[in-house]
Amino acid sequence: MKITVIGAGAVGCFYGAMLARAGHPVTLVGRPVHVDSVTRHGLRFESPAMDTYIAVAADTRVQAAEDADLVLFCVKSADTVDAARQLRPFLKADAAVLSLQNGIDNAAMLEGALGRPVIAAAVYVACEMAGPGHLRHHGRGDLVIGDSPQSAEIARMLGAAGVPTVVSADVRVPLWDKLVLNCAYNALSGIANLPYGEIRNVEAAEETMKQLIAECLAVACAERVGIDLDVERQFERIRHTIPAGQYSSMAQDLARARATEIDYLNGAIVRRGLAHGIATPVNQALMTLVQLLERRPAARGG
């Protein structure tokens, strides 16, 4: 099965590397600085268990997807529609598209822009790009993907490549579980520029996380999503999910003066809360703080 990764950041590089190590032909589509490094040296894959270089093709053009049987779509949420429109002319009629993105709206946006079905996925991996062509993996890597005619085959292939993958009949549940985790943690880590281990030892921070979770669960209930609505159980799930040394993707974006996905995480809760008449003041406050941090001169390239 030929695989193309659209958006070869940390998530795309991790799953692309795992599949390439298993012998699948993989092409990473990403920024020139990463493509140049991967083309010259291979993708450096650093983890607690290994530090090695993986041979994988890399390209800056979406045309690289024209012969792909499976496309892993891994761009940032704000880039979804534009990247999908660029990709659309090059997709084979029978190619499967798997959205490995944060948030709960990307698969629907992607379907609208591509004019074809898309498989949604909840992604559980802690990783970062430590430099050009250099992936640093901190932990996990499992997926929960939506049901489709291709999902069982894709899950088997990923599982054989060392990526535990479950097919869910109602993928909204794991997508919302992941959204709750992201809303509770990402912005706090980004604003403080601290890993989870430093945050969870501060009592006020843990209380804030519980307030964030409570607001998310109130909105999920109004949306009739069948997730666990108990705040304490959700909080404990998050405590056991995030590695202590992990900076959130939002912290990594802010540190690199890049736009974040705040509008698609806490912002999604704020918008849905307004639609249902549910107050979400803590999510609103964190969304505002991150948006202000994005406006700092360094974040604007000044």
Side-chain angles (χ1 to χ4, degrees), residues 186-201:
N186 277 23
L188 283 175
S189 175
I191 293 165
N193 193 27
L194 289 173
Y196 181 53
E198 297 293 328
I199 292 171
R200 72 182 183 190
N201 293 324

Side-chain angles (χ1 to χ4, degrees), residues 6-277:
I6 301 296
V11 169
C13 283
F14 173 78
Y15 291 104
M18 294 297 286
L19 289 164
R21 285 184 71 219
H24 296 280
V26 175
T27 300
L28 305 174
V29 176
R31 297 186 180 96
V33 64
H34 293 299
V35 169
D36 289 347
S37 180
V38 172
T39 300
R40 290 173 182 269
H41 310 291
L43 175 68
R44 183 180 175 186
F45 191 115
E46 179 188 357
S47 76
M50 65 178 180
D51 189 349
T52 189
Y53 285 85
I54 297 171
V56 59
D59 205 316
T60 60
R61 304 165 303 138
V62 293
Q63 290 94 318
E66 60 187 356
D67 62 346
D69 303 301
L70 172 64
V71 172
L72 305 183
F73 199 83
C74 308
V75 305
K76 293 288 190 180
S77 297
D79 299 324
T80 295
V81 173
D82 182 59
R85 288 172 177 165
Q86 294 180 48
L87 173 65
R88 182 171 179 169
F90 303 104
L91 278 178
K92 295 197 305 184
D94 60 348
V97 180
L98 181 62
S99 170
L100 302 180
Q101 299 172 275
N102 277 329
I104 53 177
D105 297 319
N106 282 298
M109 290 193 297
L110 193 49
E111 285 188 346
L114 291 178
R116 61 194 291 162
V118 169
I119 305 168
V123 180
Y124 295 95
V125 64
C127 56
E128 62 177 315
M129 296 307 296
H134 179 186
L135 172 72
R136 183 173 292 144
H137 177 225
H138 298 286
R140 295 191 66 172
D142 45 308
L143 297 172
V144 181
I145 68 174
D147 199 7
S148 78
Q150 303 107 319
S151 292
E153 179 185 359
I154 292 170
R156 281 194 297 271
M157 178 188 68
L158 287 164
V163 177
T165 304
V166 173
V167 178
S168 172
D170 184 5
V171 76
R172 281 210 313 163
V173 171
L175 284 173
W176 269 84
D177 275 336
K178 181 68 184 300
L179 178 65
V180 171
L181 182 153
N182 281 333
C183 288
Y185 167 62
N186 277 23
L188 283 175
S189 175
I191 293 165
N193 193 27
L194 289 173
Y196 181 53
E198 297 293 328
I199 292 171
R200 72 182 183 190
N201 293 324
V202 178
E203 184 177 348
E206 292 203 331
E207 182 57 35
T208 298
M209 288 182 72
K210 291 179 182 180
Q211 292 172 11
L212 288 161
I213 292 168
E215 292 179 4
C216 292
L217 297 182
V219 175
C221 182
E223 298 255 321
R224 299 182 178 179
V225 182
I227 65 173
D228 186 349
L229 298 176
D230 185 275
V231 173
E232 289 296 333
R233 285 196 297 267
Q234 285 282 4
F235 179 72
E236 286 304 314
R237 176 181 68 87
I238 292 169
R239 280 183 64 92
H240 290 93
T241 296
I242 306 171
Q246 175 66 16
Y247 287 80
S248 72
S249 58
M250 198 168 292
Q252 295 170 37
D253 286 336
L254 288 171
R256 293 172 170 84
R258 294 196 302 245
T260 75
E261 294 185 297
I262 192 70
D263 290 344
Y264 300 88
L265 301 176
N266 302 79
I269 295 299
V270 172
R271 288 191 299 275
R272 282 170 166 76
L274 286 171
H276 292 290

